[in-house]
Amino acid sequence: MMLSFEERKKRLKESVVSCLESTGDYSRDKIIKETRRFSEAFFPDSSEDQERAIQIVTEELFDTTFSEKSPFIIAEDDDSRNLPPIDRSEFFSRYCAYLQQDGSMAKAIDSIDAVTEKIVTKLADPKSKSERIRGLVVADVQSGKTANYIGLIAKAFDIGYRSVIVLSGIHNNLRKQTQERIDAGIIGSTQRGSIGNAEPIGVGLLPAGKENLSVFSFTTAWGDVHNHSVPSTSKLSDGSRSILVTKKNIQSLTSVLKICDSGQIAYPLLLIDDEADNASINVGRNPEDVSRINGLIRKILSHDSFPVNSYVGYTATPFANVLVNANVDDEVYGEDIFPKDFIILMRSSEEYFGANKVFSGEDDKYLCRSHLEEILPQKHSKDFILPNKLTDCIKDAICHFLINVAIESASDKPKHRSMMVNVSRFVQVQEQISRRLKNYLDGLVDEIRSAVNEASSLQDFLQQDESDEQYLRRLVSLWQREFISDQESFDLLELLRLFTKENARNPIKIVVINGDSPDELTYEDDALVNVIAIGGDALSRGLTLEGLVTSYFARNSRSYDTLMQMCRWFGYRASYEHRCRIWLPAESQGWYEYITRVVAELYDEIENLVQRGIRPRDLALKIRKHPDRLIITSVNKQKSSKDYFDSLDVSCKLFETLSFIEDHDTQYENESAFIRLINDIEQDISLNNRDLRDSTRRRTTGAARTSNTTGRIYQNVPVERILAFLNDYRNENNYSPKTQTNLLSSAIRKMNLVGEALYWRVLIASGKGGQVVLSNSSIEPIFDLNGIKWTLRSPGTDSGGGILLSGDNRRLSGRGIGAVGLEQSKYEEIRKDYSGGNNPPDSLFIRHFTEPVLVLFPLKFKNPINGLAVEEAQYIGWTIMFPPTNVTVESHYVVNSSLPNDVEDQVDEN
């Protein structure tokens, strides 16, 4: 449907404003340039309307007073709106002053300010009577998401939000770490015992301002919401604020909901969902099921106490979030958490030590190979017993960490240093790893202590290495191999002498991080921590390992999101980045390189969405699929997904229509396409016969017709006839995405450019039904179909909603269809050479094709009750088989099935 001038002008303005926001350039020249650029998309058919729209939009934007940051926000029912002015007031100014005291964070203040400014303008208006906003912030792993959303909390309080709920992962270590940072950055005090026993920290140690900045906290670092007793009669006084930091588990969220029921939390409410793709997603098995944690989160957001609320998810792996069903709005649970209103991308600076550096495929200097499978298979049970030894690679990793600790000991102000070991999700296996690492580390430290003070050179040092483990030789070898750039600045023996003194006072700790272990991972400002952290899932989400220099990883996860979240080695490590090393299996390195490209592509998709002024609810983002073993996210998080292809690799492949639209118009169009194709081929044959009689017009090739028991075969059919048929045919794309005619046509044209697929073999297949009589189309055929019988298929059990599927095995043709593309002698030769029986697979035949084949099926479906053909419903199906080619490449994606795949889909619906 063609949109009106006003609607197109409105969308033009939205796109220009969004582009200005993303670039930060609001000059007159920029406004004119971007308005003209976007206008070409919205007014392609009328230069007069285009010029009129450009004039109106530019004048409207010129009349707006633009500040350093745009006051515009694209809203659902209005061109733009201004939320309450945001002026770095008390909460955020105080937070910035606190960050300024930390040298490593001071340089991030401007970035935090800019990103949170963009987010806070998109929140629900705190002065509104009723508004609910759903958004998502996407940032790299360990790139400063927590610091960012603490800044967002501060600004939300500044513009009038009264309550904040932070969902901080599923593990208590992460919840505690988050609470401590919010205590320091927002509340200004920490609770050492029961609520009310507060000790000033962070912003609470800064000079007090004029404003009352008190915030009541329902939680403390030592206790989640269900660990505290808050009187049910207590309510927030007018103007006061509250915050709550809790885990995403049933017990905690049920407690939160009870507090909501009691009226103790005031609106407007900001709910921040950290690690928003973990636990928050509805993983109910059936479409109508709601998993308990997802249901509790939605009940909080739809609670009558919060007519004005904003949900902002934070994640580094948004795959599951963008695949949430966007159309769900349940009477009990309310709408789902699809980020319908905005997605904001936090790009990391060049200083970020992330996937683009580590897994670029160009430089492997940060990567070392792990071979832990020598003692611990990737697939193992919780009761697996490790042999009483370690592999050489993990011994190397321990030596690497010790040298890093030694280098830091030489600093005037040494910082925390951490090593991560993530090799199993099972607690008992983690405990065994811990004991073996401790034994090796103790032996290594003892050998260093015994040898270093007596040695005057590395040679002397090595001569004292008489242990079976050869501790000192391994240590020196690793120093010479992995610390080349440090060797001019440091003497290894001096470093080791410093280390032995420091380690005597503050030994390296080994902690096991899981739900059963009493160990805690705590970094204090006034106490240096050197720690080896061993764990599984608890180390894979959100938890920050400060000064992480050594990572040993060997997990067998197959999903993009889980693998990326395990990369705790990412982060800002500018001063020691060159010393960071990651041990991982060779297969994992290949996976990470692939996922890095997928994430970069998705980030570009998100940026494109923003720059075009398109809301997340109006266009599905594409996520590239892995060609082999990896999956995007768990199956239960992909219930609202479908396959999407940008291009196809057709080499030696078979493509066939698997689903059919039941409406009569589609049957008419497809039968007409069939008749036009055969009419054109028959006319080519007639012309070719005339040419053969006239030597002055003779052609070297021409269509020819033969018949046999399988049907009627046409040879030397020019590609133009095939392309015209595909152009006219209406394919059902949802269940049969690989037969999208535009994708196949594109592949065929690529082959044509190199002289391939110029001539085709076409078969009209004959089945086992009655004589074919075409009755849907009004086009008169110039051919007869004598001897051609209907192909009969049973409808698949998933048929419905106006769609018929070709059987439960999703095949249209039968095995052996590949023989159609071969001469009889070649067919017999292949069968004779095949050692697997008398019926070779079609793929074996297709490899020997020299031309592509189109098989046409006049088709009827059987009545599932009596097995007889449904006479009144006639369909045309087809199979295409391609010979070998090197010019086509498949681009296979997954998209959200509840959203349009293209802006044109959205426009048509409107």
Side-chain angles (χ1 to χ4, degrees), residues 702-745:
R705 178 195 330 107
T706 58
S707 296
N708 57 32
T709 55
T710 62
R712 183 174 302 168
I713 299 174
Y714 296 94
Q715 294 178 300
N716 298 326
V717 176
V719 68
E720 294 80 9
R721 303 302 184 210
I722 309 301
L723 291 172
F725 169 74
L726 292 175
N727 183 66
D728 293 341
Y729 187 90
R730 282 185 61 184
N731 184 63
E732 197 290 306
N733 293 340
N734 285 326
Y735 288 94
S736 191
K738 284 198 171 185
T739 51
Q740 293 180 71
T741 54
N742 61 317
L743 300 181
L744 287 167
S745 296

Side-chain angles (χ1 to χ4, degrees), residues 80-151:
S80 61
R81 69 179 183 187
N82 292 313
L83 284 187
I86 304 163
D87 58 355
R88 281 181 61 149
S89 56
E90 292 293 327
F91 273 97
F92 189 73
S93 294
R94 190 173 68 156
Y95 179 53
C96 290
Y98 164 67
L99 294 179
Q100 195 71 45
Q101 297 176 337
D102 183 345
S104 63
M105 290 301 298
K107 65 180 75 173
I109 291 175
D110 288 341
S111 173
I112 292 171
D113 187 18
V115 176
T116 53
E117 190 88 357
K118 187 179 294 185
I119 301 168
V120 79
T121 59
K122 297 183 183 297
L123 301 182
D125 187 342
K127 294 183 179 179
S128 171
K129 291 184 178 180
S130 179
E131 186 178 18
R132 289 184 167 96
I133 293 293
R134 303 288 176 266
L136 184 69
V137 179
V138 179
D140 292 311
V141 174
Q142 295 289 94
S143 65
K145 292 188 295 295
T146 307
N148 183 277
Y149 70 65
I150 293 175

Side-chain angles (χ1 to χ4, degrees), residues 218 225 230 244 254-265:
F218 288 91
V225 63
V230 180
L244 187 156
T254 300
S255 297
V256 174
L257 198 56
K258 288 179 180 178
I259 296 175
C260 296
D261 291 338
S262 70
Q264 294 173 272
I265 302 179

Side-chain angles (χ1 to χ4, degrees), residues 873-893:
Q874 303 176 1
Y875 302 89
I876 299 295
W878 48 263
T879 297
I880 292 180
M881 296 171 282
F882 288 93
T885 180
N886 295 319
V887 299
T888 61
V889 178
E890 181 170 284
S891 294
H892 186 184
Y893 297 86

